[in-house]
């Protein structure tokens, strides 16, 4: 038996499109339901969280998650991915290399530094498999029933591997990853590319347009005006000329 978005604690953004604010780091996970396929957007911070998302998706849709899009390689968005072992996984081109070798060690260290239990971090990192599908420009997923979803490599910005997810409809919904944050000032770690971040937000705005619902990586959903204001604030913060 399936449940409603409200019964499961998810926020419905458009027909067949929802998101959940995960506890701990207030990270967003998304879900897009098509006639044949189900797309998850990001996977949470650890295997147990990813498994809960997988279970909730089945309860909501009556079907398994067939596709998983990873918006960027930070632990709170990616370490639950091994729980979706039978899904087709997508990431920005180069993400597979970023999750190998020293990058994997840095991912584990960052997770523990931010408070993830070391054992949970070890378990997730050991099970993590790089995305099978690398998105270099735009990639259209056909989920069946007339539902197509666009994956767009709009970075670099927050990281070198920023992937946005556009869900056409009324309204259109754009999953932004951490290119946009609502609950705090956008975080620019050592893997950020500040000089390119405002341009990435320009691409995001062109992708969704004025009337889209924009879903930040952290915080409440926002509109185009918020994204534009954050773009201008980042340009000023990093000294990027218009």
């Amino acid at each position: 038996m399936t449940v409603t978005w409200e019964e499961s604690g998810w926020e419905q953004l458009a027909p067949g499109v929802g998101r959940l604010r995960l506890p701990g780091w207030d990270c967003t996970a998304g879900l897009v339901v098509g006639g044949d396929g189900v797309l998850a957007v990001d996977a949470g911070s650890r295997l147990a969280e990813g498994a809960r998302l997988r279970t909730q998706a089945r309860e909501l849709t009556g079907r398994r998650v067939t596709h998983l899009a990873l918006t960027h390689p930070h632990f709170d968005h990616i370490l639950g991915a091994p729980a979706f072992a039978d899904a087709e996984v997508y990431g920005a081109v180069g993400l597979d290399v970023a999750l190998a070798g020293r990058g994997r060690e840095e991912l584990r260290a960052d997770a523990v530094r931010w408070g993830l239990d070391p054992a949970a971090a070890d378990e997730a990192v050991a099970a993590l498999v790089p995305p099978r599908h690398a998105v270099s420009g735009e990639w259209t997923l056909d989920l069946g029933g007339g539902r197509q979803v666009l994956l767009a490599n709009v970075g670099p910005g927050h990281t070198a591997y920023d992937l946005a997810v556009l869900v056409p409809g009324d309204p259109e919904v754009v999953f932004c990853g951490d290119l946009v944050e609502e609950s705090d000032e956008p975080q620019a770690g050592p893997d950020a590319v500040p000089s390119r971040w405002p341009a990435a937000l320009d691409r995001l705005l062109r992708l969704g347009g004025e009337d889209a619902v924009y879903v930040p990586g952290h915080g409440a959903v926002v509109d185009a005006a918020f994204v534009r204001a954050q773009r201008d604030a980042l340009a000023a913060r990093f000294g990027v000329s218009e």
Side-chain angles (χ1 to χ4, degrees), residues 12 25 34 76 85 99 101 119 136 145 152 173-174 194 198 232:
Q12 186 173 14
W25 293 278
D76 48 338
L99 295 178
S136 60
V173 178
V174 183
D232 293 345

Side-chain angles (χ1 to χ4, degrees), residues 137-156:
E138 295 181 352
W139 189 314
T140 300
L141 293 180
D142 189 348
L143 299 180
R147 166 141 280 166
Q148 293 187 328
V149 177
L150 184 69
L151 309 181
N153 186 337
V154 296

Side-chain angles (χ1 to χ4, degrees), residues 231-242:
R231 178 250 183 248
D232 293 345
L234 286 168
R237 173 179 167 188
F238 298 127
V240 180
S241 60
E242 295 296 324

Side-chain angles (χ1 to χ4, degrees), residues 17-157:
V17 185
R19 72 84 175 252
L20 182 68
R21 292 172 71 169
L22 298 170
W25 293 278
D26 190 26
C27 175
T28 287
L31 201 63
V32 184
V33 185
D36 302 314
V38 178
L39 168 70
V41 182
D42 285 339
S45 61
R46 51 195 176 277
L47 286 180
E49 195 160 63
R52 284 196 297 273
L53 289 170
R54 183 192 64 206
T55 298
Q56 289 178 342
R58 183 173 286 278
E59 291 173 346
L60 279 164
T61 69
R63 289 179 278 129
R64 71 177 182 88
V65 169
T66 54
H67 303 77
L68 171 64
L70 300 173
T71 61
H72 64 288
H74 286 168
F75 82 94
D76 48 338
H77 296 258
I78 204 169
L79 284 186
F84 298 88
D86 55 351
E88 296 292 326
V89 183
Y90 298 78
V93 66
L95 184 58
D96 55 342
V97 177
L99 295 178
R102 183 167 179 80
R104 189 172 291 244
E105 296 172 5
E106 292 173 350
L107 179 66
R108 188 262 181 202
D110 191 52
V112 172
R113 184 164 52 249
W114 280 94
L116 186 64
D117 176 74
D122 289 338
E123 178 187 31
V125 170
L128 191 62
V129 175
R132 179 180 175 186
H133 304 288
V135 182
S136 60
E138 295 181 352
W139 189 314
T140 300
L141 293 180
D142 189 348
L143 299 180
R147 166 141 280 166
Q148 293 187 328
V149 177
L150 184 69
L151 309 181
N153 186 337
V154 296

